[in-house]
Amino acid sequence: MTPRIVPTPFAPPGTPGAGKPRRVSPEVLDAILPGPGRDRLAAGEALVVTTGQQPGLFTGPMYTIYKALSAIGLAARLERERRIPVVPVFWVAGDDHDFQEANHATVLNAAGEPTRILLRERPAEGPAWPLMRESCGPEIVPALDQLRTTTPDSEFKEAVLAWLLAAYRPEVSLADAFARALHALLGARGLAVLRPYEASAKRVMTPWLLRGLELTLPDGLSPVLLEASLGRDRLRPDGGGFVTRRSGERFDRAALERIAAESPDRLSPNVLLRPVVEAALLPTVAYLAGPGELQYLPEAGPLYQALGVVPQTPVPRWSGLLVEGRVDRVSDKHHLQMGDFAGPPGALEARVVREQLPPEVALALDALRREMTDAYSRLAAGVARLDATLERTVESARNAALAGTHDIEKRLVAALKRANEALVGQLTRARASLYPDGVPQERVLTYASMGIRYGPPLLTALEDEVARWATTS
């Protein structure tokens, strides 16, 4: 049985702007993995709904899949309404160099506890190579083995492992492995997976990046990054040339133009320039993004204007919680809402257990605190008339006395926790499923964790739920 899907939308998708259908260049098409999405783009003029994400191990957190499904659902709706081809496109940000975000995945183990699978670490002082240059390496074999041994057995497990094993191979880059896995999962549903770091796409992108060198952001840096001796690096305009922020290397305009002609893969847009380049390369009508992206996207406005690119409509992606049956059972039994599980570890367990204190004990503690507070208030008033300097002494004594009652309560709750170990475990595992480490499930757990438990019916249910969201305005 699939988990219950609880939508937690940031906002409805609304109605994107009209957009202007056009053909996608053959060079960009060459960077899209073969499938129905690319075929439809190659057939003629179309619009696209784009989204994207930096690569992650085993496709990264679940919100990556939610972004892709949001693009699929919104594209289908716009195609019905406008009666022109609208294709969902996923921009794989393989130029990104944040290895610390891409080198791990979190799953729920057989006991329902969050477990982090780490590929490897990158030395903090080492070159910040883009993920298109970071191979999965031999470490991917034990990472896949850990996924196998950590997660519970199910009828779907071998299929999920085979899916990831086909994509995440030692010789394949993290960017390509991510792209292949995403394509294998959603390509048949019409998603066009674009690898913009491929040479063909970079050649089309290069003129826009060279024009981007003429722009300077409020932080004094260029929106164009260069791969130099310390990896991908920001460029700072300096005396008619540019200096890399980390390595301190200097490049004049002619040198950057030569790099663009000979090694275009070394140049890439930053997070503000990327959607601008995206809109220049693709007939984008809507850009699906998470809340963080939507916050900084307005800062890209001057870049659109300077480069003469018509902005696409920003649209918040779908968001939701997968509520497993075991979580529903424990929440129903103790009259809990999903938000109750969002607090710090141990807080909910203490609250629920505290409610099991014998009524006479709870009433006695409350009465004792009220009486102490009232008595100390009367004492403080009398002391103030005699010697105002002693008021703080009385206040400290009151706080110490009240702290004593709280200490008694803590010890009682600790005893109840020990006596109700099964209940505490149920609450802890429920919180780990919904808010692992106090963070929303979609931002921590990888799709494979739930895919192993619930298989293809889960993906179908998610697609249907996101499609319903896509029809709202």
Side-chain angles (χ1 to χ4, degrees):
M1 183 176 179
T2 59
R4 182 167 60 93
I5 301 173
V6 179
T8 57
F10 305 116
T15 302
K20 185 177 180 181
R22 69 176 193 266
R23 287 181 173 272
V24 175
S25 73
E27 293 84 358
V28 173
L29 288 171
D30 284 346
I32 297 176
L33 291 174
R38 188 176 78 170
D39 292 345
R40 297 187 69 220
L41 286 173
E45 291 188 345
L47 290 172
V48 302
V49 172
T50 60
T51 191
Q53 184 63 30
Q54 77 159 47
L57 184 63
F58 305 152
T59 72
M62 284 195 293
Y63 68 73
T64 298
I65 306 302
Y66 297 168
K67 278 185 168 183
L69 290 175
S70 298
I72 292 170
L74 184 58
R77 170 199 148 188
L78 295 178
E79 182 162 316
R80 289 192 303 269
E81 293 175 351
R82 304 182 185 189
R83 300 188 179 185
I84 55 174
V86 183
V87 180
V89 175
F90 195 102
W91 180 289
V92 177
D95 285 315
D96 201 296
H97 57 277
D98 192 350
F99 189 69
Q100 295 304 111
E101 288 292 320
N103 69 345
H104 64 277
T106 301
V107 299
L108 294 177
N109 65 19
E113 301 163 339
T115 300
R116 195 170 189 257
I117 299 174
L118 178 67
L119 183 66
R120 62 177 176 272
E121 295 284 6
R122 174 197 275 173
E125 66 280 2
W129 300 123
L131 296 174
M132 66 177 180
R133 302 206 193 283
E134 284 277 5
S135 69
C136 292
E139 298 91 346
I140 196 64
V141 176
L144 285 162
D145 285 344
Q146 187 179 356
L147 179 64
R148 177 187 295 276
T149 57
T150 297
T151 52
D153 291 331
S154 76
E155 60 181 304
F156 310 114
K157 186 170 184 174
E158 289 306 315
V160 171
L161 291 169
W163 160 55
L164 293 174
L165 181 62
Y168 287 86
R169 306 186 69 81
E171 71 279 7
V172 178
S173 73
L174 275 171
D176 275 350
F178 174 89
R180 293 180 188 182
L182 194 62
H183 176 69
L185 188 69
L186 297 173
R189 287 171 158 85
L191 186 70
V193 178
L194 170 62
R195 299 177 295 169
Y197 49 89
E198 286 290 295
S200 60
K202 273 297 176 73
R203 283 193 292 271
V204 181
M205 195 187 305
T206 294
W208 297 99
L209 297 179
L210 290 176
R211 290 178 62 187
L213 288 171
E214 301 166 7
L215 309 175
T216 302
L217 298 174
D219 62 5
L221 300 173
S222 167
V224 179
L225 283 83
L226 171 69
E227 195 177 320
S229 63
L230 289 182
R232 190 169 182 247
D233 215 335
R234 296 288 303 274
L235 288 169
R236 176 173 53 83
D238 182 72
F242 296 87
V243 176
T244 52
R245 184 171 62 170
R246 293 181 69 215
S247 64
E249 297 168 80
R250 185 175 182 82
F251 298 85
D252 59 22
R253 174 76 187 209
L256 291 175
E257 288 178 351
R258 284 195 300 273
I259 289 171
E262 299 168 4
S263 306
D265 53 318
R266 290 178 60 190
L267 293 172
S268 59
N270 82 330
V271 293
L272 295 182
L273 186 57
R274 193 194 88 182
V276 182
V277 171
E278 203 172 284
L281 268 57
L282 298 165
T284 309
V285 64
Y287 175 82
L288 267 298
E293 295 166 287
L294 292 174
Q295 282 187 338
Y296 65 67
L297 194 58
E299 299 175 33
L303 302 183
Y304 284 96
Q305 185 175 7
L307 297 180
V309 176
V310 178
Q312 63 274 66
T313 302
V315 177
R317 67 169 173 84
W318 181 86
S319 173
L321 276 173
L322 303 182
V323 184
E324 300 182 87
R326 60 188 175 86
V327 176
D328 266 336
R329 287 190 291 274
V330 72
S331 58
D332 288 346
K333 181 177 180 181
H334 298 282
H335 311 290
L336 300 172
Q337 303 298 316
M338 295 301 103
D340 293 330
F341 293 93
L348 177 62
E349 293 89 328
R351 191 190 99 191
V352 173
V353 168
R354 188 179 291 111
E355 292 170 356
Q356 299 190 29
L357 281 171
E360 64 275 16
V361 174
L363 288 172
L365 283 169
D366 288 341
L368 180 58
R369 288 172 186 143
R370 286 195 303 271
E371 291 167 5
M372 290 172 63
T373 300
D374 291 342
Y376 272 103
S377 294
R378 293 193 299 272
L379 178 60
V383 166
R385 289 193 295 271
L386 293 173
D387 186 349
T389 64
L390 294 176
E391 284 185 88
R392 183 161 296 184
T393 302
V394 175
E395 181 182 349
S396 297
R398 181 202 63 194
N399 292 341
L402 289 173
T405 67
H406 289 299
D407 184 60
I408 293 171
E409 186 177 32
K410 282 182 182 179
R411 291 174 183 271
L412 289 170
V413 169
L416 282 171
K417 279 186 176 181
R418 290 191 294 272
N420 292 272
E421 186 176 345
L423 169 59
V424 171
Q426 290 170 357
L427 293 170
T428 300
R429 287 188 292 274
R431 189 186 64 251
S433 176
L434 296 174
Y435 293 92
D437 302 323
V439 179
Q441 170 196 81
E442 63 179 25
R443 302 196 64 82
V444 179
L445 299 180
T446 189
Y447 171 77
S449 183
M450 292 297 184
I452 284 172
R453 282 171 160 79
Y454 302 106
L458 172 59
L459 188 61
T460 300
L462 281 167
E463 183 180 28
D464 292 344
E465 186 63 46
V466 176
R468 282 190 285 273
W469 161 85
T471 62
T472 60
S473 59

